[in-house]
Amino acid sequence: MLTLQRRQLVGHDILLARHGNHISAMRVDRSAGRVVAFLDDGSTDSAPNMITPGLRMPHTVQSVLREDWKFLAVVSGCCTGFAGLLFAAAAALASISGDAGLANMLSIYSAN
């Protein structure tokens, strides 16, 4: 079962254990898979952000969107196109229908 949860950043814990209160800022370097800490004395230190390289981390909403954005965009476009096609078919049916009541119902429907 797919569970979306926040990933635990191991690098933050490692750097906090090494330097404690001497860290002024931290940032995540996603391309290198590391966390970089800027220390009070102006130096920097980094730590790996994974326990083991082969460990499969749980999926998050951001990781799913980052990996599957093309698929989600295609599905969204298809749904929008299908809704437009249904709207056009209803409008065409209302215009070619000889029954005035059906044309009125299909073109000026309001949900009261």
Side-chain angles (χ1 to χ4, degrees):
M1 183 172 147
L2 179 67
T3 58
L4 300 177
Q5 50 187 301
R6 186 178 183 279
R7 289 188 177 159
Q8 298 299 320
L9 300 178
V10 181
H12 282 128
D13 294 338
I14 294 170
L15 290 171
L16 282 172
R18 284 183 193 164
H19 303 289
N21 291 336
H22 300 290
I23 298 174
S24 60
M26 279 198 247
R27 71 172 176 83
V28 178
D29 185 5
R30 294 194 190 283
S31 62
R34 300 183 73 77
V35 176
V36 179
F38 299 98
L39 304 176
D40 291 338
D41 62 358
S43 63
T44 59
D45 189 13
S46 65
N49 210 15
M50 294 186 70
I51 298 171
T52 20
L55 181 67
R56 289 198 49 150
M57 299 293 283
H59 292 290
T60 63
V61 174
Q62 291 175 345
S63 69
V64 169
L65 289 177
R66 186 172 38 245
E67 293 170 3
D68 298 333
W69 70 271
K70 290 180 183 177
F71 172 73
L72 294 172
V74 168
V75 169
S76 177
C78 289
C79 289
T80 303
F82 184 69
L85 183 67
L86 288 179
F87 180 75
L93 182 62
S95 67
I96 64 172
S97 171
D99 186 13
L102 178 64
N104 191 20
M105 180 183 72
L106 289 174
S107 62
I108 314 173
Y109 177 75
S110 67
N112 288 333

